[in-house]
Amino acid sequence: MKELKYKSFCWVIGTTSFRTAKINLKIEQQLRLLDEFYKTIKPWEWNNNIQEKYYDFMKNKKFVSGDASRKDKDAREKTSGLVDIGLITENRLLTEVGKKLLEITDKVEISKNNIFNIEDDSYIYLKQLLKTSINVDNNFIKPYIVLVYCLEELGYITYDEFTYFIPLITDKESLNEIIENIRRYRKNELKKEDVIYQKLISMANYIDAKKEFLDNEVTEDLVCLIGMNRKSKTYDKIFFQLYKLLKAIFINKNNQDYLKTFEIINKITGKSSIHWKKLVFNTNKKESIKKNKENSIIKNCPFYNYKNEKDFKETFFKYFHTFKAMATLEDYFDLNRRYLALTETFIFEDNIIKLDVFPKYYFKEIISNLIDEAFVEAKNLKENIEIDKISDSLKVDLNRIYSNLSKDLNVKINNPNEASKYIQDERYKRFNLLIKNKFTDEILLKLLEYFEKREDKEIEKLVTDEATIPTIFEYILGIIWYKVSEFKGDILKYMKLSLEANLLPKTHASGGYADIIYEYDENKNYPKHSLLIEATLSDGSNQRKMEMEPVSRHLGNYRIKSNNIYDYSLFITTFLEQNIITDFRYRKIMPYEKNDERIEGMKIIPIDTNFLKEIIKNKVTYSQLYLDFEEHYQKELGERNWYKNMIEEINKKYKKI
């Protein structure tokens, strides 16, 4: 029999062995680890021995856990995605781009010094993804450019289309084919299985595999041969059993064992098992199959009505490989999405992908020329160069973009400042809509309970897994306080957080300033002031050790800089330790000094999430709360149960009947 080898049929950015949640944080951590590790190894050579040592180094730094069976392989895989996008060399040294990314993300606040009005680290990723090419069977593809072109042609891409179709684009010919197939798919003229199989059967190895399968008697060895499994042929042995069982049901019509067929499908590893079940059975329950037998077969099963084994074999071959391919594409979805999302130019929401406003108009001007460069190998990948140096096609007339924006959107945009203001206004519209749809009072109350119980997985489900739980806590507090402040104030600026294009939080490796700094203009209830909201999830003795000094220092430094006696801090946590309450209370009479400047006392109000839940339930506004906080702050220091009394009195005052 002919030797058959697996060949890639689609592109993927990075590797599935590199866990993708919190991808930007993990990339920054990985760059720092490599930079630190490099300094301990002389001479440097990325060989098996050094790779094993690097794995141990990552483990000691708690970046990985457990013992890998192949430390060298694990070390290579954990870093290969960074090679793909030009942040490190093949020899795992930081490139010019990698060093620049670290420099940017080391800052307390990341600026937006670029025409896209995105954070500078995202701008680095944008430039890198514009250059990044993936080799698929000796064809080079730049996924970012391909996706932008498809969005320009189709207006939007669904998650399904992004999963099953877009990665199949590996050359100019398949680009046009897939776009046309997506149009037909939307009209229900095509099934995704047909599109995927069409791609597979255009490749020489699948053509050869099909011929071998049709021309020979079906044996276990033959099924393993034509399966072309990348890991081991033995994984495909189960499909020989499936073939025999399906043949007995649909062709021979004897020895029909419906339950065993279901059980064999259940044993197929990976996601292709799900697709086989949906293809053959109308139920997912063993009991139902045992009882109903042939009636448990789905009515439109494609194996029905075959009169000979040849037709049956053709169909089996099709789904054997198509479902494998679908499982692979499903595995790649999350990885591709997260890498592309690093650019902060795509909005992923409601199972739809689209370009953000400015990127949409920017690329609209140039994509017809840029697409010609989507199928050539990357150049200048390791160099930190300006966007218009990447390609001549990326040189744009900003005035034209502003003019088109103005005309289409009926707004006045003549310069970068006006563009930035418009983009920011649009972000606020989307943010308010996000709060309305995703972060209702009911959801916020539920999240606060999850924070109290540290049900981290539930928190990630409701918000995002791109940020750490403490970052998400800050973000949710920001939303709550925006509501408490009656949706007034520049909350996206006040929250000292990095947000993705879909306005959900992401975490960087560097530390930050005070968590939220809310600014209030004077009104009848309070003077002009800033409120520093500090958040922590630490409890007990840890809370005192970790939070006491930073909170006081942040407020002290801010007060000295602002020279406003009305600036104060709100400390919010899931559990308040009594000594913390006392310490913060007595800051009222304790001076704070820095560089020979001195302030006499600080106002720090501690509250816990239980009280915050009451604020939400009773829809208490900041105008009311400010007066209440001030009243209790001014009370005598020696008052016993000061905090308990404050909470009880405020809750009683606003309690809904």
Side-chain angles (χ1 to χ4, degrees):
M1 287 186 185
K2 190 170 183 176
E3 183 65 27
L4 298 168
K5 288 185 178 178
Y6 174 85
K7 290 181 180 179
S8 293
F9 62 90
C10 66
W11 53 261
V12 60
I13 310 170
T15 171
T16 51
S17 63
F18 183 66
R19 293 196 317 174
T20 52
K22 303 170 189 64
I23 189 169
N24 67 297
L25 175 63
K26 286 190 169 73
I27 288 173
E28 291 166 29
Q29 290 172 331
Q30 187 84 276
L31 289 174
R32 283 181 176 82
L33 287 173
L34 279 167
D35 200 38
E36 189 181 338
F37 181 67
Y38 167 72
K39 291 166 185 171
T40 67
I41 306 293
K42 300 294 178 196
W44 177 266
E45 188 182 348
W46 186 247
N47 54 32
N48 287 9
N49 179 42
I50 299 300
Q51 290 158 16
E52 286 181 10
K53 286 182 179 178
Y54 181 61
Y55 179 87
D56 291 332
F57 182 78
M58 289 192 291
K59 188 178 174 180
N60 290 335
K61 295 288 184 176
K62 295 184 168 52
F63 187 77
V64 296
S65 56
D67 288 311
S69 56
R70 286 272 313 276
K71 292 180 181 180
D72 57 334
K73 184 183 176 191
D74 214 64
R76 289 194 299 273
E77 289 178 341
K78 288 280 188 296
T79 50
S80 64
L82 279 64
V83 177
D84 288 349
I85 62 172
L87 301 182
I88 57 176
T89 66
E90 287 79 0
N91 204 29
R92 273 45 174 189
L93 299 176
L94 268 66
T95 62
E96 186 183 312
V97 185
K99 290 173 183 175
K100 184 64 182 177
L101 185 64
L102 277 191
E103 182 192 317
I104 289 167
T105 55
D106 273 338
K107 296 174 182 173
V108 172
E109 278 193 71
I110 299 173
S111 56
K112 297 181 176 180
N113 296 316
N114 55 81
I115 59 169
F116 285 82
N117 202 38
I118 58 179
E119 291 188 343
D120 285 346
D121 65 313
S122 299
Y123 188 56
I124 288 280
Y125 287 122
L126 169 59
K127 291 191 293 181
Q128 291 309 106
L129 267 295
L130 278 165
K131 293 183 278 182
T132 297
S133 60
I134 309 296
N135 188 341
V136 180
D137 195 24
N138 295 319
N139 288 325
F140 289 98
I141 305 95
K142 291 178 179 156
Y144 185 95
I145 298 174
V146 163
L147 179 58
V148 167
Y149 184 83
C150 291
L151 285 168
E152 174 60 25
E153 288 290 310
L154 297 161
Y156 67 92
I157 298 288
T158 67
Y159 279 15
D160 261 9
E161 292 160 3
F162 181 71
T163 302
Y164 300 112
F165 298 157
I166 303 299
L168 301 180
I169 299 169
T170 55
D171 52 32
K172 194 74 178 275
E173 187 183 350
S174 58
L175 171 70
N176 297 320
E177 281 177 7
I178 292 295
I179 288 171
E180 182 55 32
N181 283 338
I182 290 173
R183 289 192 177 109
R184 291 181 65 195
Y185 175 70
R186 290 178 182 180
K187 295 176 187 173
N188 293 318
E189 293 175 1
L190 271 180
K191 292 181 178 178
K192 53 179 172 278
E193 293 91 335
D194 296 331
V195 177
I196 294 165
Y197 186 62
Q198 183 184 323
K199 173 71 178 184
L200 298 178
I201 207 63
S202 70
M203 297 171 63
N205 57 332
Y206 286 97
I207 294 169
D208 290 341
K210 182 180 177 181
K211 189 173 185 314
E212 285 291 327
F213 191 58
L214 295 180
D215 290 352
N216 293 283
E217 183 187 347
V218 179
T219 62
E220 188 179 83
D221 286 344
L222 179 66
V223 171
C224 290
L225 174 75
I226 63 108
M228 297 182 290
N229 198 292
R230 282 179 287 178
K231 293 179 181 176
S232 169
K233 288 181 180 181
T234 57
Y235 284 102
D236 287 334
K237 284 183 177 181
I238 196 164
F239 288 101
F240 176 59
Q241 298 178 58
L242 179 61
Y243 180 87
K244 288 193 297 182
L245 287 160
L246 290 174
K247 186 183 172 189
I249 293 172
F250 294 104
I251 300 295
N252 299 338
K253 304 190 187 301
N254 61 11
N255 300 318
Q256 297 168 310
D257 197 330
Y258 299 95
L259 184 60
K260 191 175 179 183
T261 303
F262 182 82
E263 288 171 343
I264 285 294
I265 290 174
N266 254 346
K267 289 179 182 177
I268 296 170
T269 55
K271 293 175 183 174
S272 62
S273 170
I274 300 164
H275 298 301
W276 274 107
K277 267 186 271 187
K278 287 180 179 176
L279 185 76
V280 178
F281 293 101
N282 56 25
T283 178
N284 200 27
K285 295 177 180 174
K286 282 186 182 182
E287 297 77 17
S288 179
I289 292 168
K290 198 173 180 178
K291 180 184 173 183
N292 297 321
K293 296 181 180 175
E294 68 270 19
N295 291 327
S296 62
I297 300 293
I298 201 162
K299 285 183 180 177
N300 60 348
C301 180
F303 293 111
Y304 267 132
N305 303 320
Y306 283 131
K307 300 205 171 30
N308 58 69
E309 189 176 354
K310 181 178 178 296
D311 293 340
F312 175 80
K313 285 169 82 172
E314 281 203 30
T315 301
F316 183 87
F317 181 88
K318 173 185 173 179
Y319 289 105
F320 178 29
H321 282 293
T322 299
F323 290 161
K324 274 190 182 186
M326 285 174 72
T328 298
L329 291 163
E330 286 156 8
D331 283 344
Y332 290 170
F333 164 80
D334 197 52
L335 197 59
N336 288 329
R337 177 181 67 86
R338 290 181 196 267
Y339 268 102
L340 290 161
L342 286 168
T343 66
E344 216 181 308
T345 52
F346 301 106
I347 297 171
F348 295 82
E349 61 186 11
D350 300 327
N351 286 313
I352 294 285
I353 305 167
K354 56 186 180 182
L355 279 164
D356 211 343
V357 177
F358 185 84
K360 179 182 176 180
Y361 279 83
Y362 176 90
F363 287 112
K364 193 175 184 175
E365 286 291 303
I366 60 171
I367 193 61
S368 57
N369 293 325
L370 190 61
I371 193 61
D372 291 330
E373 299 175 34
F375 306 104
V376 294
E377 192 172 359
K379 294 177 184 175
N380 307 318
L381 188 61
K382 302 177 181 81
E383 298 170 29
N384 183 34
I385 54 179
E386 293 302 315
I387 195 164
D388 58 4
K389 297 288 192 295
I390 295 172
S391 162
D392 286 341
S393 299
L394 289 162
K395 293 174 180 175
V396 296
D397 182 352
L398 283 175
N399 290 323
R400 268 190 72 173
I401 293 173
Y402 298 149
S403 173
N404 290 336
L405 268 165
S406 303
K407 186 169 62 179
D408 290 0
L409 305 170
N410 199 25
V411 292
K412 183 186 172 186
I413 300 173
N414 294 313
N415 55 58
N417 288 337
E418 289 176 354
S420 178
K421 185 181 182 307
Y422 175 79
I423 290 165
Q424 195 64 4
D425 289 346
E426 287 299 301
R427 278 165 66 87
Y428 263 98
K429 286 178 188 173
R430 287 200 292 116
F431 189 61
N432 286 328
L433 199 62
L434 180 74
I435 294 172
K436 181 184 174 183
N437 295 333
K438 191 178 173 78
F439 298 114
T440 60
D441 286 355
E442 293 73 23
I443 295 295
L444 292 172
L445 290 168
K446 189 179 285 187
L447 279 164
L448 290 177
E449 284 183 17
Y450 288 152
F451 285 119
E452 289 164 359
K453 297 173 184 174
R454 285 307 300 262
E455 294 184 22
D456 294 1
K457 290 294 178 193
E458 296 303 316
I459 295 167
E460 288 180 347
K461 281 180 196 173
L462 284 175
V463 187
T464 178
D465 61 3
E466 267 310 307
T468 60
I469 299 301
T471 300
I472 297 173
F473 187 50
E474 293 171 29
Y475 176 78
I476 294 302
L477 291 183
I479 288 173
I480 291 170
W481 214 254
Y482 184 47
K483 281 191 168 185
V484 168
S485 302
E486 300 172 271
F487 296 92
K488 294 171 185 171
D490 195 351
I491 186 61
L492 293 176
K493 175 188 165 190
Y494 299 162
M495 287 193 296
K496 309 299 176 181
L497 292 174
S498 290
L499 304 180
E500 297 177 320
N502 56 0
L503 302 175
L504 294 172
K506 57 184 179 180
T507 301
H508 291 292
S510 62
Y513 197 43
D515 299 333
I516 302 161
I517 302 177
Y518 222 109
E519 297 172 15
Y520 294 95
D521 291 323
E522 183 180 1
N523 70 15
K524 64 180 183 180
N525 285 354
Y526 49 70
K528 180 181 171 70
H529 69 283
S530 294
L531 171 63
L532 280 66
I533 300 176
E534 305 265 2
T536 185
L537 291 169
S538 61
D539 54 21
S541 59
N542 269 345
Q543 191 178 102
R544 193 161 187 225
K545 183 171 65 180
M546 293 168 62
E547 306 300 336
M548 201 51 233
E549 193 274 334
V551 173
S552 303
R553 174 165 44 83
H554 286 163
L555 179 58
N557 292 345
Y558 193 89
R559 280 272 314 273
I560 286 170
K561 190 177 176 182
S562 72
N563 198 28
N564 185 347
I565 60 170
Y566 299 110
D567 295 339
Y568 74 105
S569 272
L570 193 65
F571 177 74
I572 306 177
T573 184
T574 50
F575 169 80
L576 265 176
E577 206 249 345
Q578 180 56 48
N579 287 319
I580 278 280
I581 297 170
T582 305
D583 279 345
F584 282 149
R585 183 77 179 117
Y586 276 82
R587 293 282 160 176
K588 182 179 177 180
I589 59 171
M590 291 175 67
Y592 180 85
E593 293 186 32
K594 184 184 180 184
N595 299 334
D596 297 327
E597 292 191 72
R598 176 183 171 105
I599 55 172
E600 301 296 334
M602 289 183 286
K603 177 180 174 183
I604 303 175
I605 307 291
I607 65 170
D608 63 15
T609 45
N610 277 325
F611 178 53
L612 201 54
K613 284 188 275 189
E614 293 301 312
I615 290 172
I616 296 170
K617 288 175 190 172
N618 297 313
K619 301 193 183 299
V620 185
T621 67
Y622 183 67
S623 290
Q624 299 164 314
L625 276 174
Y626 179 89
L627 296 172
D628 294 320
F629 286 154
E630 180 63 16
E631 180 190 338
H632 287 277
Y633 172 71
Q634 293 300 344
K635 290 189 175 182
E636 294 295 323
L637 284 174
E639 181 187 333
R640 290 193 66 191
N641 299 320
W642 173 81
Y643 176 75
K644 183 170 176 286
N645 293 339
M646 178 181 76
I647 298 304
E648 285 179 355
E649 285 181 32
I650 294 175
N651 282 341
K652 187 178 177 182
K653 185 175 178 181
Y654 300 110
K655 196 80 173 174
K656 299 282 185 187
I657 298 171

